[in-house]
Amino acid sequence: FSLQDLSDALRAQCATAGAPRPGDDDARAAPLRLRQPRAGAFAAAEPEGGSSASQRAGEAFFNGSAVVVDDVGCTPGPVGRLTSELSSCLGVHVAADAWLQQIGSGESASSDASVAMRPWPRFLLQTHGRRTWHLASQRTWEPLEEGTQQAFPRGASVTLSPGDALFLPSHLQLSSESIGDVPSLHLDVGLQQQRLTWAALVSLVCRRLLLLASSSLEVCDADREVAVDVDGVDAALVAEAARVRMLGTSSLGPSRYQDAKSAPLAAFLPAVLQQAACVPGDLPAGMIEDLEGRLRGVLRRLRRVGHLGRSVDVRVAAGTGRVLGAEGVPLRSLVEAACDASDGALREALTWSLGELRWRMAEEALPSGCDFGSGEAFSSLARWHGHKRAGRSALLRRAPHARPFLQGGAGGEAFLWMGGLRRPLDPELALATRWALGRWTGAKGRPFEVLHVPGDREAAQRAAEMLVVSGALEVVPGG
């Protein structure tokens, strides 16, 4: 990643006004931020008069400001390929910001804690200059309000030179300072798994059980997205990671359905879920049972050692698009209800929650403006039409980097999620689509011909063509 790459990314981002980022309150994230040398705070940089944003950034940097370009991974180039590959492998949204800072510029965590600490793990990749990072001796699980000034006990200090990388766990405060006689440029690559942790899963399970057991919930004037986004329950459970460490992770641990070939990603919940074409119909055999056992263990430990005296507001998605909610619910009552739930009730809540997590991943798969598709999809489509004209049966397989998700079906409305977009799906094609896209069921990710698809042959042909056009399936070259 070079200064020229940064310049190109800045021009591309300012031309589109920035791509939306998951979790942002504002749907249009500022592509460029400037830190004034003395004020310490960041401000979004907008073009002034006839100057472009890139010119504005150059002037600000010349005058001593730090320049931060958000989401440089949403542009073509090496960083775009890096973030795309990581997202595809890990099943989480990966975003990269570029930080260009002047010689000798410092960064105080006490004056900018919201920037220094993130609720997700990240890599710091130094590409130019040198920078020393001072890390806190322990993680801070309680949320910090933006602008909050809070000193932290220092632990290790690490100096990065060009080519060095540093992994940081989530919720770790830090400060830094550039050293040497050249400006510092580094990439902050965030693995945004905060909505896919055990805290998020436990939160969804508790809300689902409350919905099934309570008649006192009221209809809320809120979008369905609010019910599956970070809310008071999520934040309270994340804070408990200080006592129940697993809540802050997305680890599955060793399971009987994992093997040496699929490890280590098979032990990472998002990496397994994002392979599933539908939930729970396309999950590894035994996964629900393994998760249920681990969930019981997390809940029991949370009841035993957790600080559960706080109250939270609860929102939960119900049928027909409604959102129900209750205010001031004791956190202890939610945890105890989950601990005491019957096996059947807990399994139903867990299955529903996994579906919600998979829906989150489908929605965030490739945010608008971050399209890294190559010409392979067009080549595959050309091969498909060539086989049709020749009257031959094509050999098909799920595209290697495709993460399709089939939502609904079974006689009702059905949708196919691809690249963060939701497409209506003819219910008559749902069965064939589910079989063709199956990772652990159906085709199981292996090559197949349309004649192998169970059910109506015409529906299978239509489903296959639709999936090739959408890029979910590809025609095997030479097949």
Side-chain angles (χ1 to χ4, degrees), residues 375-406:
E376 179 56 36
F378 295 101
S379 300
S380 178
L381 185 58
R383 289 194 293 270
W384 170 263
H385 287 297
H387 280 75
K388 283 184 65 176
R389 286 193 299 269
R392 300 192 306 268
S393 179
L395 189 62
L396 303 168
R397 66 185 175 195
R398 197 165 99 167
H401 296 292
R403 299 295 181 261
F405 177 52
L406 180 62

Side-chain angles (χ1 to χ4, degrees), residues 51-83:
S51 66
S52 67
S54 56
Q55 290 174 325
R56 171 96 169 99
E59 293 170 0
F61 182 70
F62 180 79
N63 291 323
S65 291
V67 175
V68 181
V69 182
D70 291 332
D71 276 350
V72 293
C74 287
T75 55
V79 181
R81 290 191 294 272
L82 171 66
T83 57

Side-chain angles (χ1 to χ4, degrees), residues 247-328:
L247 289 171
T249 74
S250 300
S251 173
L252 290 173
S255 303
R256 62 179 181 270
Y257 58 84
Q258 298 169 7
D259 53 38
K261 183 178 180 180
S262 61
L265 291 181
F268 188 57
L269 176 61
V272 175
L273 273 183
Q274 56 110 19
Q275 293 278 353
C278 59
V279 176
D282 187 36
L283 290 175
M287 180 175 177
I288 295 290
E289 292 80 1
D290 285 337
L291 282 175
E292 186 179 354
R294 289 194 171 88
L295 177 62
R296 288 279 189 193
V298 171
L299 289 168
R300 286 194 295 266
R301 178 164 177 75
L302 188 56
R303 178 161 64 177
R304 186 170 67 252
V305 304
H307 295 180
L308 308 178
R310 69 187 79 190
S311 296
V312 293
D313 296 337
V314 183
R315 300 289 183 269
V316 60
T320 64
R322 295 180 304 158
V323 174
L324 304 181
E327 297 182 356

Side-chain angles (χ1 to χ4, degrees), residues 3 100-101 103 125-132 159-164 177-186:
L3 292 173
L100 178 62
Q101 292 167 300
I103 299 170
L125 308 178
Q126 191 76 23
T127 65
H128 292 72
R130 301 174 66 210
R131 197 159 191 83
T132 297
T159 297
L160 300 184
S161 299
D164 290 343
E177 57 192 359
S178 63
I179 58 177
D181 55 0
V182 296
S184 168
L185 175 63
H186 73 271

